[in-house]
Amino acid sequence: MSKIPMKTPLVEMDGDEMTRIIWNMIKEHLLEPYIDLKTEYYDLGLVKRDATDDAITIEAAQAVKKYGVGVKCATITPNAARVSEYNLKKMYKSPNGTIRAILDGTVFRAPITLPCLLPSVRSWQKPITIARHAYGDIYKCTEYRVPCPGKAELSFKDASGQELFHETVFDFETPGVLMGMYNKDDSIQSFARACFNYALDTRQDLWFSSKDTISKQYDHTFKDIFQDIFDAEYKDRFDQAGITYFYTLIDDAVARVIRSSGGFIWACKNYDGDVMSDMVATAFGSLAMMTSVLVSPDGNFEYEAAHGTVTKHYYKHLAGESTSTNSMATLFAWTGALKKRGELDDIPALVSFADKLEQASLSAISAGFMTQDLALLADLEHKTVLSTEGFILKVKEFLDAAA
Ligand code: NAP
Ligand code: MG
């Protein structure tokens, strides 16, 4: 059987611990036998990051900018314990944070859904994708614990030092709390474009919500920027694609999301996205079934699993015990990236192979073959719990049987 050829290389970012093991199994059993896999390989495992003083992470992000599509394995974000465990030169920043800053991207998280995995919300039939604006607001705020009575003021001076704005925030008669936060037009614009592009790319409606009725400058600016960019740059393309852009108050959005049947993208401000993505992920079932893609406003895509390196399972693996770690989100990161590469390079065989591979994995689970985490959730009469590798080999059986 001849392998599917590729044109442009895929930027491959290897990672750490259990997901690094899964990464190799997916390549060995599910990709390399079928595809003439062309990747530009970057090892973002902690050992290599330390050896290169983290330069490898920056090089990988630049490669995604150059080629347009990357796939990333989960990586350790070091804390103090990791610094001693790996004898690191320093406490490196999160690779995802570094990559996101270089690509100026927005993260879209979508669950992998299956009829046997019933969401807690009965009406949800299709995935709900959450787009979170990962810049500014309370995550970059200045806070103060007010200790005594006094006056809090908000002031803005332009670059020449002239005061353009000055207002009393509050006359404190007792102790209290105070916060100053900000955002930037260009960041909101990038976020809006990433959302509109992703909606077009996946042919799903886009919702955006904020609290503009209460926050008449701050949140209203978000609303206006989205609307202006939509009208000027995207309205025609949305009409052609048969999808809609819809703005509503965050309260109304929450109520509508719960009543909906899913199948749309919900763009959220930073805090709303942080909170709502955890709610949506939990209601859909499992973090192990959540995929994630970073989309830059100029159209670069980086696919990954939303979960981490599954450290506890890795230590079991090192101790020689059998593991049952779910590879679905990592597999869908690969298929997402291969499909995108296939679309951009006009290789229909690559796109349809990635579709078949996804279908094979879904069929395996629907037939009752799954890892431990799903066995606890799946609404099926007969379930067979497989090991990490056992599940991947079962997917291969389904893939070969479908060919
Ligand atoms: P985690 O790796 O997501 O795992 C947390 C727990 O969730 C696991 O112990 C496991 O529960 C369950 N789980 C997650 N993924 C699973 C899968 N594929 N199959 C089965 N169960 C799964 O989070 P963590 O333990 O907090 O973090 C571990 C490391 O990952 C950290 O060093 C962190 O820095 C890194 N991290 C990386 C990323 C990323 O690169 N995107 C994201 C988050 C965390 P049970 O033990 O109960 O089975
Ligand atoms: Mg959160």
Side-chain angles (χ1 to χ4, degrees), residues 252-266:
D252 181 49
V254 167
R256 283 174 188 262
V257 163
I258 296 295
R259 282 198 307 264
S260 77
S261 56
F264 55 89
I265 300 159
W266 182 13

Side-chain angles (χ1 to χ4, degrees), residues 109 132 139 270-271 273-279:
R109 275 176 150 211
R132 170 181 170 193
Y139 303 86
N270 208 348
Y271 176 82
D274 184 350
V275 176
M276 291 304 160
S277 66
D278 285 334
M279 188 199 68

Side-chain angles (χ1 to χ4, degrees), residues 116-118 284-286 372-380 383:
C116 65
L117 298 175
L118 304 173
F284 269 112
S286 167
Q372 180 67 44
D373 57 313
L374 293 187
L376 299 171
L377 296 171
D379 183 32
L380 287 174
K383 291 180 252 190

